Amino acid sequence: PLYCIMLLLGSHITCSGQELWTLERCIEHGLRNNPDIERGRLDIEINDNLLLLSKTEVLPSLFLHITHSPHSEKCISPYFNSSLTLFGGLGKYFKIKASEISSKISRHQLDAIRIDLILSIIQSYLEALMAQEMIKISKNNLCSIEEQYLKSKVWFDNGKTTHSTLLELDAQRSAERVNLIIAQNRLALEKIELAHLINCTPCQGMILDSSLCHKPLRMVSVEDADSIFQSAVKLPSVEICRERVELSKYITRGAQSALSPTISLDATYDIRNNIGSYGITLNIPIFNHYQHIINVRNTKLEWQKEEISLQQELKELYREVFSTIQNVVSSHQAYIAASDYLEHTTEIFYQMQNKFEMGITGITDYNISKNNMIKAQIEKIKAKYQYILECEILEIYEGKKGQW
C-alpha cells in the first residue's frame, strides 16, 4: 500500500541536505571539543610550570634592599643580598624529580580522559544505531499489520471474518504506532546524548553510519587473556598507578633530606659604601617537635599504599580483560543463537499468516507467532550490538583505540 511505501521512505525524504556522522568523526570532534580534555590540557600546563619552578630553586636568590632613614645623613641605603644553598640533603633534587613525575601523571590522566570519552562515544553511538534498527522493526511491523488489517476489512465486508478479529487487528495497529513513536523518541534522545558527549548542538537530522555493524567477526578465546593483558598494562590507568609509586618514593626521599644539615652561601653588597661581605651558614636540625620524623613515617606509609594500589589495579585489569574476552565469546554465541531463533520464528509466522488468511487458524495463534518473531528480531539486534561493544572494549585493552 501507498501508506507503507511512504512510511518506509519517510526517513530518506527528511534526510536531504543532512550530514553523515561516522563513529570516527564523532570521536575526533569529541576529542577536539570536550571540556574535560581541555581541563586536562590546562592541568598539564600547570604541572609543567610547577616543574620549571622547582628547577629554578637550585639557582641563587638575589634581592635589592633599599632602606630609608630620615634621621641619617645618608637617608637612602641600597644594597644587594644573595643566597645559594650549597647542600640541602638533595631535597631540591628530589623535589625536581617529584615535579617531573607529577607532569607525567597529568599527561597520563589526559590520556585516560581520552579513552573514557572514546568508550562513552562508542557506547552512545551503538545505542543510537540500535535505536535506528528498532525504528525499522517498528515500521515493518506497522506496515505488515496495516496490510493485514486492510485484507481483513475486505474479508469482514464479505462475511469471511468476525468483527472481533477486525477489532483485534485494529488494536494491534494502534499499538504498533505507539511502539514506533517510542522508538523514534529513543533515537532522538540517543542523538542528544551523543551530541552532548562530542560537545556539539543536538541535531535530530544527524545521519549515523551503520557500516560499523558489518565489521568482520573476530575469533578470540580465554587463552588470549595473557597476551591481551600484556598490552593492557600500558593503559594510562596503570601508568598513573606506576608513576604515583615513583612519586611517593621521591616525596619520601625529600622528607628524609629535611633531616640532614644544610649549607648555604650568603653574600651582601652595599652599593653606597662599595662594601661587600659573604659567609657560609650551617644549619643542623636538632629538635623541631618530631615534625620531620613524623613526616618521613607518613610518606613511607603513603608509598606502601601506592604500591598496594598498583597491585590491585593490575589484578582488577586482568579480571576486566578476562571478563571482556568471555563477554565477546558469549555475545557472539548469543548472536548466532538469536539469528537461528529469528529464522525459525519468521518461518513459523509466515505459516501462521497463511493459515490465518485461509481461515484455518484464529487471531490468537497469529498474534503469538507474530510476537515471537518480533521478540526474536529484538533479541538479535541486542545480541549484535552487545557483541560489537565488547569487541570495541577489547580493542581498547589491546591498545588499538585512543590513538586519535
Side-chain angles (χ1 to χ4, degrees):
L2 180 61
Y3 172 78
C4 295
I5 296 175
M6 293 300 296
L7 182 64
L8 294 174
L9 296 180
S11 59
H12 299 284
I13 294 174
T14 59
C15 286
S16 60
Q18 296 174 350
E19 203 169 1
L20 177 66
W21 284 79
T22 63
L23 176 60
E24 289 74 15
R25 181 183 177 186
C26 288
I27 291 175
E28 290 174 358
H29 192 278
L31 293 177
R32 285 197 307 267
N33 300 281
N34 188 271
D36 291 335
I37 291 181
E38 184 60 30
R39 282 194 291 267
R41 293 193 184 102
L42 295 177
D43 287 336
I44 290 176
E45 291 187 23
I46 291 173
N47 281 282
D48 287 345
N49 290 335
L50 293 176
L51 173 59
L52 178 61
L53 180 63
S54 64
K55 290 180 178 180
T56 59
E57 289 182 2
V58 301
L59 301 175
S61 61
L62 179 64
F63 298 94
L64 172 63
H65 299 274
I66 300 177
T67 60
H68 178 266
S69 176
H71 304 291
S72 174
E73 294 181 358
K74 299 178 180 180
C75 60
I76 298 177
S77 301
Y79 66 94
F80 287 105
N81 178 265
S82 179
S83 178
L84 174 64
T85 301
L86 301 177
F87 178 77
L90 299 179
K92 293 183 179 181
Y93 168 77
F94 293 130
K95 186 175 182 180
I96 291 174
K97 297 299 292 184
S99 297
E100 289 177 348
I101 295 175
S102 296
S103 182
K104 291 180 181 179
I105 289 176
S106 63
R107 283 168 168 78
H108 290 313
Q109 287 174 336
L110 179 59
D111 292 336
I113 293 173
R114 285 195 180 103
I115 290 179
D116 290 340
L117 178 61
I118 290 171
L119 181 57
S120 297
I121 292 175
I122 291 173
Q123 288 176 319
S124 180
Y125 199 91
L126 291 176
E127 288 288 340
L129 286 177
M130 186 166 65
Q132 272 189 174
E133 293 210 29
M134 291 297 184
I135 290 177
K136 291 180 182 179
I137 291 177
S138 296
K139 286 182 177 181
N140 289 332
N141 291 333
L142 179 57
C143 184
S144 176
I145 197 65
E146 181 74 25
E147 185 177 353
Q148 192 63 50
Y149 174 79
L150 295 176
K151 289 181 180 179
S152 297
K153 190 174 181 181
V154 174
W155 298 340
F156 174 74
D157 293 338
N158 296 329
K160 294 181 180 181
T161 188
T162 62
H163 186 250
S164 61
T165 299
L166 189 63
L167 290 177
E168 179 70 21
L169 290 171
D170 192 24
Q172 291 181 21
R173 184 174 61 169
S174 300
E176 289 299 337
R177 287 175 180 153
V178 173
N179 291 335
L180 177 59
I181 293 173
I182 293 174
Q184 290 172 336
N185 180 64
R186 181 185 175 187
L187 176 60
L189 293 177
E190 292 297 342
K191 286 185 176 181
I192 292 174
E193 177 64 21
L194 179 60
H196 172 71
L197 287 172
I198 64 177
N199 197 26
C200 73
T201 304
C203 176
Q204 297 306 320
M206 177 186 293
I207 304 175
L208 304 180
D209 182 17
S210 60
S211 62
L212 180 65
C213 308
H214 307 298
K215 63 186 304 182
L217 300 178
R218 60 173 298 175
M219 302 302 296
V220 66
S221 64
V222 292
E223 285 77 13
D224 300 323
D226 289 335
S227 61
I228 296 176
F229 175 73
Q230 294 303 317
S231 299
V233 295
K234 301 175 184 178
L235 287 173
S237 58
V238 181
E239 293 294 341
I240 289 172
C241 291
R242 287 200 188 96
E243 296 295 349
R244 283 176 175 168
V245 171
E246 287 295 306
L247 178 62
S248 297
K249 181 181 74 174
Y250 285 112
I251 290 177
T252 301
R253 297 287 185 265
Q256 291 172 337
S257 66
L259 299 174
S260 66
T262 59
I263 302 175
S264 59
L265 174 64
D266 301 302
T268 303
Y269 176 71
D270 188 335
I271 299 176
R272 180 177 292 276
N273 298 317
N274 195 22
I275 298 175
S277 63
Y278 67 91
I280 295 178
T281 303
L282 173 64
N283 290 321
I284 303 176
I286 298 177
F287 180 75
N288 65 341
H289 306 285
Y290 297 102
Q291 290 182 4
H292 292 322
I293 295 177
I294 297 299
N295 189 32
V296 170
R297 291 177 181 175
N298 286 337
T299 54
K300 286 183 177 180
L301 293 175
E302 290 293 334
W303 188 358
Q304 295 176 10
K305 285 173 57 179
E306 294 298 342
E307 288 179 337
I308 294 173
S309 297
L310 174 59
Q311 296 303 318
Q312 188 64 29
E313 178 69 21
L314 291 173
K315 291 180 180 179
E316 182 67 19
L317 178 63
Y318 188 81
R319 183 193 66 81
E320 291 176 356
V321 169
F322 200 94
S323 299
T324 302
I325 294 175
Q326 184 61 41
N327 289 335
V328 170
V329 174
S330 61
S331 59
H332 181 215
Q333 294 172 347
Y335 175 71
I336 295 175
S339 299
D340 293 338
Y341 180 48
L342 176 59
E343 183 179 349
H344 295 320
T345 55
T346 302
E347 183 179 355
I348 292 172
F349 168 71
Y350 286 135
Q351 291 177 359
M352 284 296 176
Q353 187 179 40
N354 292 332
K355 291 181 180 180
F356 175 72
E357 292 177 355
M358 295 171 61
I360 300 176
T361 187
I363 187 67
T364 301
D365 292 335
Y366 171 81
N367 287 338
I368 291 174
S369 63
K370 181 174 71 69
N371 291 334
N372 287 338
M373 183 186 68
I374 294 174
K375 179 182 177 182
Q377 291 173 338
I378 295 174
E379 290 299 324
K380 180 181 178 180
I381 290 175
K382 289 182 178 179
K384 177 176 69 173
Y385 283 101
Q386 184 63 36
Y387 171 73
I388 295 174
L389 176 61
E390 296 297 340
C391 288
E392 294 291 330
I393 295 174
L394 192 61
E395 288 184 1
I396 289 178
Y397 288 133
E398 292 174 321
K400 297 178 180 179
K401 297 288 184 182
Q403 304 302 322
W404 277 267

